[in-house]
């Protein structure tokens, strides 16, 4: 069986690595892939990114299953193109992917279907947005209504930060947002108190299977300081998601979303990621939806998954997820992202990476922003590597991950030294 994974980040490296372990899998292609997938003898990079060219490749190679990694491919309609040609692909259609590609669509959907989330308003006019912020006060959350590689959200603790974020998104687009039709828009939301968790499920349009819970660390610096990033590290499971919180999330958020999308005539298939804010009483509310696996959450989740991912996703594309029960390693997995100097706004590229350790059953270095050139591994993006380890406790997984990254060197490297701090405190 041949598999194609679309994307070039750490999430895609982890998915391809896990899929390659499938009993019936003979070849895993990654398009376009990165320096890590290039070096793995079980994976093969394909330098394609165009949707039609990818579908042509899948037809020529008789690919049995394609798995979509990043949101940009989904927003470009890759699932629609593959399905129109009778090709098996796991991911949501362009219309269903609006749950992520348009914050305004997602908020309106949640309001319509009674899914718990923060109060909000949407603006395309900067003056009206500024006036609304002045009336509401801070803290307040400013979100770009388009794709921004995880950097389109500003949690403004002061009015000054809120006004700056509005100008960044609406006026000069410093966050590099891919705006939706109708131009630049911001969604301005009530600030929610609590602890965040990543709640990711597999959907086949009707049936849902939840993955292991995880918690991401969005801020650049220790102690959750500094600017928002695409994610500086994650661990699984997330202790904040108690059995009671898990049941509430499924009953009040996930199932109403899947049923609501079906009722609206846009059945959801693929990975559905609900970013939850869990308050002191254990009530989860939806911060945002993503329509793909999280990055860096995928890396620790894949380290813990014992089931054959290929067989699971074949069920998901057959509409038979009700026949699936996932098996998990009971240990904790924790991943630390090593980012380039200047990340998140102006990451350095082209620096040599040395000191990579050999992979083991307990520790794995997943590549993201790397490229192989003339036999040398170089930095090629903001988040460069995710060093991921398994341990009997959060502390042990944390210790092994940090021990593993010590010898890895590249100019300007930066990483947080407190990944997993909330779980340790618990």
């Amino acid at each position: 069986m041949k598999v194609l994974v679309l994307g070039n980040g750490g999430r895609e490296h982890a998915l391809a690595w896990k899929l390659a372990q499938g009993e019936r899998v003979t070849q895993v292609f990654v398009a376009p892939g990165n320096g890590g997938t290039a070096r793995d003898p079980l994976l093969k990079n394909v330098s394609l990114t165009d949707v039609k060219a990818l579908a042509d490749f899948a037809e020529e190679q008789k690919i049995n299953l394609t798995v979509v990694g990043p949101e940009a491919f989904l927003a470009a309609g890759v699932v629609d193109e593959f399905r129109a040609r009778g090709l098996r692909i796991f991911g949501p259609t362009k219309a269903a992917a609006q749950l992520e590609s348009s914050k305004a669509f997602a908020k309106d959907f949640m309001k319509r279907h009674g899914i718990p989330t923060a109060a909000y308003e949407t603006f395309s006019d900067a003056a009206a947005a500024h006036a609304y912020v002045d009336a509401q006060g801070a803290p307040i959350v400013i979100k770009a209504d388009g794709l921004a590689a995880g950097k389109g959200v500003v949690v403004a603790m002061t009015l000054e930060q809120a006004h700056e974020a509005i100008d960044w998104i609406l006026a000069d687009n410093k966050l590099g947002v891919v705006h939706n039709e109708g131009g630049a828009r911001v969604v301005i939301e009530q600030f929610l108190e609590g602890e965040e968790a990543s709640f990711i499920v597999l959907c086949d349009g009707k049936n849902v299977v939840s993955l292991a819970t995880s918690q991401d660390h969005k801020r650049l610096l220790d102690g959750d300081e500094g600017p928002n990033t695409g994610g500086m590290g994650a661990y699984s499971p997330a202790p904040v998601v108690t059995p009671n919180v898990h049941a509430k999330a499924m009953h009040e958020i996930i199932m109403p979303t899947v049923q609501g999308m079906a009722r609206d005539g846009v059945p959801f298939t693929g990975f559905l990621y609900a970013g939850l804010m869990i308050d002191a009483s254990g009530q989860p509310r939806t911060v945002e939806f993503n329509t793909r696996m999280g990055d860096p959450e995928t890396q620790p989740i894949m380290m813990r998954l014992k089931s054959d991912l290929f067989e699971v996703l074949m069920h998901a594309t057959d509409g038979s997820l009700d026949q699936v029960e996932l098996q998990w390693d009971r240990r904790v997995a924790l991943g630390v992202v090593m980012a380039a100097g200047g990340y998140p706004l102006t990451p350095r590229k082209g620096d040599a990476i040395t000191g990579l350790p050999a992979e083991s059953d307990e520790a794995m270095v997943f590549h993201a922003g790397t490229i192989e050139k003339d036999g040398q591994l170089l930095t090629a993006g903001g988040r460069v590597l995710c060093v991921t380890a398994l341990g009997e406790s959060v502390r042990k997984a944390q210790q092994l991950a940090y021990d593993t990254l010590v010898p890895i060197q590249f100019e300007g490297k930066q990483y947080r030294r407190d990944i997993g701090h909330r779980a340790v405190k618990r």
Side-chain angles (χ1 to χ4, degrees), residues 121-426:
E121 293 290 343
T122 303
F123 300 91
S124 54
D125 177 68
H130 286 303
Y132 180 76
V133 160
D134 282 331
Q136 294 296 315
I140 197 162
V141 181
I142 316 294
K143 294 182 175 180
D145 176 46
L147 297 177
K151 298 187 283 288
V153 177
V154 176
V155 181
M157 301 311 288
T158 65
L159 284 175
E160 185 185 6
Q161 289 172 347
H163 290 306
E164 183 180 49
I166 290 166
D167 289 336
W168 273 13
I169 295 164
L170 289 182
D172 51 18
N173 198 10
K174 274 193 183 162
L175 298 174
V177 180
V178 180
H179 295 308
N180 291 309
E181 283 176 29
R185 291 195 296 182
V186 287
V187 174
I188 303 181
E189 283 187 6
Q190 161 201 12
F191 173 78
L192 296 178
E193 294 276 2
E195 189 171 341
E196 281 195 68
S198 305
F199 198 95
I200 308 173
V201 300
L202 304 167
C203 304
D204 65 10
K206 183 174 73 169
N207 303 298
V208 171
V209 172
S210 59
L211 296 178
T213 60
S214 55
Q215 190 172 70
D216 186 10
H217 298 62
K218 282 285 182 204
R219 300 293 189 123
L220 180 69
L221 305 172
D222 290 3
D224 299 314
E225 299 287 336
N228 256 354
T229 70
M232 294 300 292
Y235 59 91
S236 173
V240 69
V241 184
T242 62
N244 186 41
V245 170
H246 193 286
K248 280 184 177 176
M250 286 296 286
H251 179 67
E252 297 174 15
I253 295 169
I254 298 297
M255 291 316 296
T257 299
V258 174
Q259 290 158 1
M261 291 293 278
R263 260 201 315 278
D264 289 354
V266 195
F268 190 92
T269 56
F271 297 109
L272 178 64
Y273 169 138
L276 304 181
M277 184 67 78
I278 301 153
D279 68 18
S281 67
Q283 180 61 44
R285 281 192 280 181
T286 318
V287 176
E288 64 178 359
F289 283 119
N290 293 324
T291 58
R292 37 77 194 178
M293 284 291 280
D295 188 344
E297 295 96 332
T298 304
Q299 292 88 314
I301 289 172
M302 288 301 116
M303 286 284 282
R304 290 188 62 220
L305 182 64
K306 292 173 88 169
S307 304
D308 185 325
L309 183 61
F310 174 77
E311 301 299 344
V312 170
L313 297 185
M314 291 297 275
H315 275 291
T317 47
D318 276 338
S320 56
L321 272 176
D322 52 334
Q323 297 172 30
V324 168
E325 192 172 331
L326 299 178
Q327 303 298 315
W328 298 98
D329 193 313
R330 59 181 177 73
R331 290 175 293 177
V332 173
L334 184 142
V336 180
V337 169
M338 300 184 74
Y343 179 73
L345 288 178
T346 53
R348 287 175 58 110
K349 293 179 184 177
D351 292 309
I353 303 167
T354 59
L356 284 171
E359 67 176 84
S360 71
D361 290 341
E362 277 75 43
M364 180 74 192
V365 179
F366 293 109
H367 291 236
T370 70
I371 189 169
E372 194 167 43
K373 201 171 179 182
D374 302 326
Q376 194 176 28
L377 196 66
L378 306 175
T379 62
R383 292 183 296 167
V384 178
L385 304 166
C386 183
V387 182
T388 312
L390 286 163
E392 292 294 338
S393 65
V394 179
R395 276 194 192 281
K396 286 189 173 161
Q398 192 182 52
Q399 185 69 54
L400 181 54
Y402 282 106
D403 286 350
T404 304
L405 68 71
V406 167
I408 302 171
Q409 300 295 329
F410 55 90
E411 194 67 37
K413 68 175 181 181
Q414 53 174 334
Y415 58 90
R416 281 182 56 161
R417 287 160 175 79
D418 66 346
I419 300 301
H421 67 91
R422 288 194 199 89
V424 169
K425 274 183 197 150
R426 280 173 176 270

